[in-house]
Amino acid sequence: MTGDPTLEPIAKGSGLALCAGGPWTARFAPVLEQMVADAEKLCGGRPNIFIDVSQVDKLDTFGAWLIERLRRSLTQGDVEARIAGLSANYSSLVDEVRRVKAAPAADTAKVSITGMLDQIGRSVAGFGTTLIQLIDMLGAVLAATGRVLARPRTFRLTSTVHHLEQVCWRAVPIVGLITFLIGCIISQQGIFHFRKFGADIFVVDMLGVLVLREIGVLLVAIMVAGRSGSAYTAELGSMKMREEIDALRTMGFDPIEVLILPRMLALIIALPILAFLGAMAALYGGGLVAWLYGGVDPEAFLLRLRDAISIDHFVVGIVKAPVMAAVIGIVACVEGLAVEGSAESLGQHTTSSVVKGIFFVIVMDGVFAIFFASIGM
């Protein structure tokens, strides 16, 4: 049989036979879909329905799926529509299509307390899984560090220097600019409000303590998480998609030593340097605004700054930096190794890396604030 596809209903007692014929291929998709839709309306509620495909001379995956869809839609309760007259050439194709399970429709109309509690529980369980993955990565990095210390010749100095250039040297302009502007804003806002009480000079105290203890290192860590953390996740995710990490394992290399350890070390070295440069830029910006906007002479600014801060403020900020760098690196590497084989997965994990990195940096800053307050620093 040649020509256009057909689907003719033929009554047989209380039952009904649907006789399909002609080419059931994707070329005739609009005609086939309309015929199947009409047959679903015509045959609704009838028992003993047969779909006769003995006259079908061409069948592809699209046609096989339409036949299977028709069979599923006509199957009601204990009565199942059957396919008859299937040739041996197409039986395997129809059987393969039949194995595809229809995805259940998401019920978005009902919102129940049980569903909300279930979602909360899944979120908590997912957070626990994330913590386990981070701890596992931390252990793997520490183990790799021990192996490298035992065999110093295996340390990849060239890779570490390369990543240090990318993370530290190339980040200096943007870090310096942002921290400079933040220092200017803090100084301007402080002078604007302190002036109401005639206490313009106290802006120096606020600026020095905030920049050295909190704002400087926290702001730099957030920028590093968005700039370098996302880059690490994207690089490792791309390697995972192209199976380069599996190739390293096949060649006998440890991906932790080759890929992750140099990146982690570069971050741990770079973040204290960037935090120091960022703090100096913020203090310079704040001093410049205090001079031009608040009328505080540079000499008076420096004298007040020397009296307002101590070495403890600087130590508190610098001690935080390598710990935050380690957290950012671990989160970025975990998310990068979790990427699957699609561009969508790469984008999702890169976004997740930035969000989780910033979240854990802020959490660590709070932990450090409580710790240093408890020891009198």
Side-chain angles (χ1 to χ4, degrees):
M1 180 178 293
T2 58
D4 294 334
T6 58
L7 184 63
E8 299 178 357
I10 300 176
K12 292 185 178 181
S14 60
L16 184 69
L18 296 172
C19 299
W24 278 58
T25 60
R27 176 185 174 188
F28 302 95
V31 177
L32 290 172
E33 288 183 343
Q34 186 61 45
M35 288 192 303
V36 169
D38 294 340
E40 290 173 346
K41 297 176 183 178
L42 177 66
C43 304
R46 287 177 177 252
N48 302 324
I49 300 177
F50 296 88
I51 305 174
D52 185 2
V53 295
S54 59
Q55 299 301 317
V56 174
D57 55 1
K58 289 183 180 180
L59 185 68
D60 62 4
T61 306
F62 179 80
W65 168 245
L66 284 181
I67 293 173
E68 176 60 20
R69 193 188 83 179
L70 180 60
R71 185 194 68 81
R72 293 182 183 184
S73 64
L74 298 179
T75 298
Q76 298 179 357
D78 296 333
V79 179
E80 182 179 358
R82 289 176 287 175
I83 300 175
L86 189 63
S87 65
N89 294 333
Y90 301 128
S91 59
S92 60
L93 178 59
V94 175
D95 290 340
E96 193 68 29
V97 172
R98 184 172 297 178
R99 295 191 184 98
V100 179
K101 296 181 179 180
D107 188 5
T108 58
K110 297 181 180 180
V111 178
S112 63
I113 297 179
T114 305
M116 294 173 62
L117 292 176
D118 177 74
Q119 188 64 33
I120 293 173
R122 292 180 184 275
S123 299
V124 173
F127 183 76
T129 302
T130 300
L131 289 180
I132 293 173
Q133 291 174 344
L134 296 180
I135 294 172
D136 180 68
M137 178 59 71
L138 176 60
V141 171
L142 292 177
T145 303
R147 292 193 297 270
V148 169
L149 291 176
R151 296 174 298 164
R153 296 186 63 182
T154 62
F155 176 65
R156 297 184 173 270
L157 179 61
T158 303
S159 178
T160 303
V161 172
H162 167 73
H163 291 299
L164 188 59
E165 179 195 5
Q166 298 294 323
V167 173
C168 185
W169 176 249
R170 295 183 182 273
V172 168
I174 185 64
V175 168
L177 176 62
I178 297 299
T179 52
F180 173 83
L181 294 176
I182 293 296
C184 293
I185 294 170
I186 293 175
S187 181
Q188 187 273 332
Q189 288 294 304
I191 292 173
F192 177 77
H193 291 285
F194 287 158
R195 182 170 290 171
K196 299 175 183 178
F197 309 100
D200 299 23
I201 194 64
F202 286 103
V203 72
V204 182
D205 302 58
M206 181 188 70
L207 182 68
V209 174
L210 273 181
V211 167
L212 293 179
R213 289 183 67 99
E214 300 292 337
I215 298 297
V217 64
L218 183 61
L219 188 64
V220 171
I222 291 174
M223 284 191 287
V224 169
R227 182 183 180 275
S228 303
S230 60
Y232 282 3
T233 302
E235 291 170 1
L236 294 174
S238 299
M239 294 179 186
K240 182 79 177 297
M241 292 171 60
R242 294 195 296 263
E243 300 181 352
E244 294 178 13
I245 296 178
D246 294 334
L248 283 174
R249 291 193 180 98
T250 303
M251 291 186 292
F253 294 103
D254 183 6
I256 303 295
E257 293 184 18
V258 176
L259 300 176
I260 295 177
L261 189 58
R263 288 174 166 83
M264 291 285 298
L265 185 58
L267 265 182
I268 292 173
I269 295 174
L271 194 54
I273 297 174
L274 292 175
F276 172 76
L277 295 176
M280 295 302 104
L283 290 176
Y284 182 80
L288 188 62
V289 170
W291 179 31
L292 300 177
Y293 179 76
V296 179
D297 292 335
E299 293 182 3
F301 181 89
L302 293 175
L303 290 174
R304 184 69 186 183
L305 183 65
R306 187 182 63 182
D307 296 335
I309 63 175
S310 65
I311 191 63
D312 288 345
H313 296 97
F314 177 76
V315 170
V316 167
I318 292 299
V319 166
K320 296 177 182 179
V323 179
M324 291 181 176
V327 170
I328 293 169
I330 290 173
V331 170
C333 293
V334 166
E335 292 296 327
L337 295 179
V339 172
E340 299 175 353
S342 66
E344 181 182 6
S345 175
L346 179 62
Q348 290 175 348
H349 284 285
T350 303
T351 303
S352 179
S353 171
V354 176
V355 173
K356 291 180 181 178
I358 294 174
F359 170 78
F360 282 110
V361 160
I362 295 174
V363 169
M364 292 303 300
D365 186 69
V367 172
F368 273 115
I370 297 172
F371 170 74
F372 285 120
S374 65
I375 63 175
M377 291 184 66

